[in-house]
């Protein structure tokens, strides 16, 4: 990477700058003894202080998810490359680590922006939080150095340590990178979750100096948020990888490139959807802890003024399920033998659509008089029955199971099992799926006949049935596929373009969903900076309605995607500048100009970007 | 920009637009911020009821649980409940010894004291989020639902946020313990539930003369393991006191508390 200033890279400067800024800003209220900062600074021009902080925080969070999610992806891919002896995975990991270098700068820039907006627009809140969390803020800033150093060693040492134990050590650096990133995220999560769920002993009269640090740090929603974000970051990283691959696929000039990026898109999507299936369980844990912490907060979130938000969320998740399955079903067309599953897809589509409708049916909503009159009561006479949790839990579990079935069809499409018990094994798989379906439906229906407190417990049985079935069926499938013969290789690269656009829809939806959930998590505090401890007395105290929130989320998503596109473009540009012989550069256009269309993945330009050339390295079916 | 780029941009924009439109066409509900209210000495029952209804249906968040739905989380208040009538009709008969006004006030600030049968103890105390005038306005509104409004300006404290009860405890005797003498740690951690000299929360037993009843060792145990011995008459409150004071307080703070409490004779 070029552009070093005084021997330091932009990332190091950004991290150092942020560290100094945090330290200075934390020290400020302490140093200025006797001075109490005002609660609010002058309102931000045009959009107001709330929206300014909202956008900075959300875009920072999107980049943070990217730089935390992609290293997970990279380490998994590198491990497959090492132990699976499939070099293309190693190249895949490297390709994405390169993008991280630039993405770290963007994350630091937006983090710095957020910091200065908070300190200038909400000085009272910042002084309060920094007095409680000052120690963890110093650690947080210091960890940037470790994280940046580890990233540099990881990326720039790729060629140096590529064999034997050195390669394992290199992979260890990738693990370490993830460890630093996870600690950084956990620390930041403590600040925001404290605002959401401060310990019960903290009251409006409790001076921040009297708040016990660990009690505030490890507050009620800290660990649930940690787990939820960890999984969500993996989902997000996978979806970004898939979208990047889709972009490269659509721009590819050769069959080899198309094959490579088709495969990359499949891997990214597999990770995104695979981890996404676990996310509702983490969300359930988070929701339960919110209710445990404060019933009113939980009820506000699910049945109060935010109740309509979950209908929008259901719409988004419905789109995710449909797009993910659509991508897999189209993919069957390039797998020999995949056509035999085609007749089933229409039934699976029906399950997904019915599940979508049920999940998107509102129940506990705040309705006005006209709406009540139109429904004929507080609940719709027919749809009201579908809006309860029994129906919704049943719907989402059925959708998860259906998506898993799509993946299973994909895995099995071109395989001919040879183990003698293959037929029995397949039958067992079918029975497991059928029993799971019966369990889901049974508890879904039975839930209507028991009190709410019993009904809530049923969702656990449904979830366990689905998880057990997924694991058991997958293990069986791996065993059945041992030594299986092939009906033919997957024809990577023969994917219709429309499947790639489905990957873009998935990525945009995941990003928007992240913004929506950020609004939900933050918004349930309503008019409290710190729940029931520090009241928001500014003119922006009221949490806005969904329509306005949607506009802000869309703006955040656009900013993020525009910058990600720039980073992708920049990454390709750097590769070209390294690889194109000088005589091919048009002097009139500058050193970065290229001949031809300038696609970084053109064969011959970057051996690391066209791994599909070697037929021996073509992905095997079902990988 | 190539046609592929344009298509990608189009897909992104259309997807974003679809989500924005969906979120904009559904009913728009903005959270309500409880407005500070104050009542003069001449406030009428009608004014109190009107203010109370606004809070009840809005920022108070009451209707999320006390809806008219058969499966509501809390008992119906504004409709007939099990043949006992609306809340204004049945409130005086809920707890022996408490009239309607006293019961409703207690039900709002100490909701777990008098849980209605078959309902879980999930209601948070209203005085953490609402001021005293707001709470008294809600009492008036609930009384008006089938009953007579007896809340007057005399019930409502002048300063918002000062906890009051229909039957305030008698003034402390001269020379008795005063909250002002308590160490910071007591005022930060204990006073919200335990009273000293008539000040503080009424959830746990008062601390006046606690030093005459418990030894230092017993006091230390009561702080570190609140469930070990439950004070007589407070069995219903078992489990409310956090069991982790051993973690959130330093040894010095615990000893400060023990010394202070043992000195309350």
């Amino acid at each position: 990477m070029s552009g070093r200033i005084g021997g330091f890279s932009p990332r190091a400067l950004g991290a150092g700058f942020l560290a100094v800024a945090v330290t200075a800003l934390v020290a400020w209220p302490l140093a200025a003894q006797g001075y109490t900062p005002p609660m609010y600074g002058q309102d931000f021009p045009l959009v107001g202080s709330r929206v300014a902080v909202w956008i900075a925080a959300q875009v920072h969070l999107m980049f943070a998810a990217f730089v935390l999610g992609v290293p997970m992806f990279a380490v998994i891919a590198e491990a497959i490359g090492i132990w699976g002896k499939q070099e293309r995975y190693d190249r895949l990991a490297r390709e994405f680590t390169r993008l991280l270098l630039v993405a770290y700068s963007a994350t630091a820039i937006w983090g710095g922006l957020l910091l200065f907006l908070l300190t200038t627009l909400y000085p009272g809140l910042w002084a309060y939080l920094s007095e409680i969390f000052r120690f963890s803020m110093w650690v947080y800033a210091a960890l940037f150095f470790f994280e940046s150093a580890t990233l540099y060693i990881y990326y720039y040492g790729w060629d140096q340590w590529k064999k034997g134990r050195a390669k394992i050590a290199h992979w260890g650096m990738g693990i370490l990178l993830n460890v630093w990133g996870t600690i950084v995220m956990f620390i930041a999560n403590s600040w925001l979750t404290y605002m959401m769920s401060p310990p019960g002993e903290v009251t409006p009269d409790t001076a921040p100096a009297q708040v016990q640090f660990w009690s505030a740090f490890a507050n009620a929603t800290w660990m649930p948020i940690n787990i939820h974000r960890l999984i969500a970051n993996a989902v997000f990283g996978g979806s970004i990888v898939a979208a990047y691959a889709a972009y490269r696929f659509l721009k590819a000039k050769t069959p080899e490139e198309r094959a490579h990026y088709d495969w990359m898109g499949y891997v990214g999507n597999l990770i995104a959807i695979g981890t996404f299936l676990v996310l509702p369980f983490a969300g359930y844990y988070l929701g339960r802890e919110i209710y445990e912490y404060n019933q009113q907060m939980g009820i506000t979130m699910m049945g109060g003024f935010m109740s309509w938000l979950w209908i929008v969320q259901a719409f988004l998740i419905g789109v995710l399920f449909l797009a993910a399955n659509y991508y897999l079903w189209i993919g069957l067309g390039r797998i020999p033998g995949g056509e035999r599953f085609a007749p089933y897809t229409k039934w699976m589509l029906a399950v997904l659509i019915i599940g979508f409708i049920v999940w998107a049916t509102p129940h506990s909503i705040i309705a006005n008089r006209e709406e009540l009159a139109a429904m004929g009561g507080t609940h719709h006479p027919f749809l009201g029955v579908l809006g309860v949790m029994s129906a919704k839990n049943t719907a989402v579990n059925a959708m998860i199971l259906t998506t898993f079935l799509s993946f299973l069809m994909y895995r099995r499409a071109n395989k001919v099992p040879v183990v003698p018990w293959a037929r029995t094994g397949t039958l067992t798989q079918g029975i497991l799926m059928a029993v799971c379906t019966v369990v889901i439906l049974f508890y879904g229906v039975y839930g209507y006949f028991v009190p709410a407190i019993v009904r809530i417990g049923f969702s656990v049985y449904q979830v366990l049935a689905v998880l057990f079935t997924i694991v058991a069926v997958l293990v069986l499938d791996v065993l059945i596929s041992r030594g299986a013969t092939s009906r033919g290789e997957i024809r990577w690269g023969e994917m219709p373009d429309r499947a790639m656009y489905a990957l873009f829809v998935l990525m945009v939806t995941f990003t928007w969903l992240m913004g929506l959930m950020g609004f939900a998590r933050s918004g349930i505090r309503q008019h409290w900076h710190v729940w029931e401890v520090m009241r928001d007395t500014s003119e922006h105290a009221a949490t806005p309605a969904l329509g306005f929130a949607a506009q802000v989320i869309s703006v955040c998503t656009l900013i993020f995607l525009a910058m990600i596109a720039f980073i992708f473009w920049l990454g390709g540009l750097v590769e070209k500048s390294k690889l194109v012989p000088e005589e091919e550069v048009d002097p009139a256009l500058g050193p970065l100009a290229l001949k031809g269309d300038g696609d970084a993945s053109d064969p011959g330009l970057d051996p690391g970007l066209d791994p599909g050339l070697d037929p021996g390295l073509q992905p095997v079916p079902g990988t | 920009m190539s046609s592929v780029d344009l298509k990608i941009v189009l897909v992104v924009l259309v997807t974003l637009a679809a989500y924005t439109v969906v979120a904009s066409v559904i009913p728009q509900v903005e959270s309500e911020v409880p407005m500070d209210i104050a009542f003069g000495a001449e406030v009428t029952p009608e004014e109190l009821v009107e203010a109370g209804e606004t809070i009840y249906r809005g920022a108070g968040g009451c209707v999320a649980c006390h809806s008219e739905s058969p499966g509501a989380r809390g008992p119906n208040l504004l409709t007939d409940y099990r043949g006992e009538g609306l809340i204004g009709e049945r409130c005086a008969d809920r707890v022996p010894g408490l009239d309607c006004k006293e019961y409703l006030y207690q039900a709002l600030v100490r909701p777990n004291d008098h849980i209605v049968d078959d309902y879980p103890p999930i209601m948070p105390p209203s005085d953490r989020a609402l001021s005293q005038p707001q709470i008294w306005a809600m009492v008036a509104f609930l009384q008006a639902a089938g009953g007579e409004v007896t809340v007057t300006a005399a019930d409502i404290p002048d300063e918002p946020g000062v906890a009051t009860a229909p039957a305030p405890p008698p003034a402390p005797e001269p020379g008795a313990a005063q909250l002002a003498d308590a160490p910071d740690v007591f005022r930060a951690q204990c006073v919200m539930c335990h009273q000293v000299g008539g000040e503080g929360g009424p959830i746990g037993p008062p601390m006046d003369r606690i030093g005459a009843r418990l030894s230092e060792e017993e006091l230390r145990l009561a702080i570190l393991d609140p469930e070990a011995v439950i004070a007589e008459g407070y069995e219903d409150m078992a489990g409310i006191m956090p069991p982790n004071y051993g973690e959130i307080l330093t040894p010095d703070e615990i000893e400060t508390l023990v010394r202070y409490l043992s000195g309350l004779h």
Side-chain angles (χ1 to χ4, degrees), chain B residues 77-78 85-91 141-148:
Chain B
L77 300 177
L78 306 182
L86 281 61
I87 185 64
E89 295 174 79
R90 62 184 193 255
C91 53
F141 168 67
L142 294 172
Q143 279 191 311
E148 181 190 356

Side-chain angles (χ1 to χ4, degrees), chain A residues 73 231-240 242 265-281 316-328 352 399-407 470 502-503 505-507 509-510:
Chain A
F73 183 93
I231 299 170
N233 289 345
V235 176
F236 193 59
S239 74
I240 296 277
Y266 166 73
V267 173
N269 188 51
L270 182 66
I271 289 178
I273 300 302
T275 44
F276 171 65
L277 294 184
V278 189
L279 205 52
F281 308 132
L316 291 168
I317 293 180
V319 171
L320 288 176
F321 272 115
L322 287 169
N325 280 276
Y326 175 73
Y327 175 82
L328 287 173
L352 290 176
M399 291 165 86
I400 290 173
L401 208 58
T402 303
T403 305
F404 173 67
L405 189 59
S406 291
F407 168 69
I470 287 176
L503 293 181
V505 170
L506 281 168
M507 188 264 287
T509 306
F510 275 126

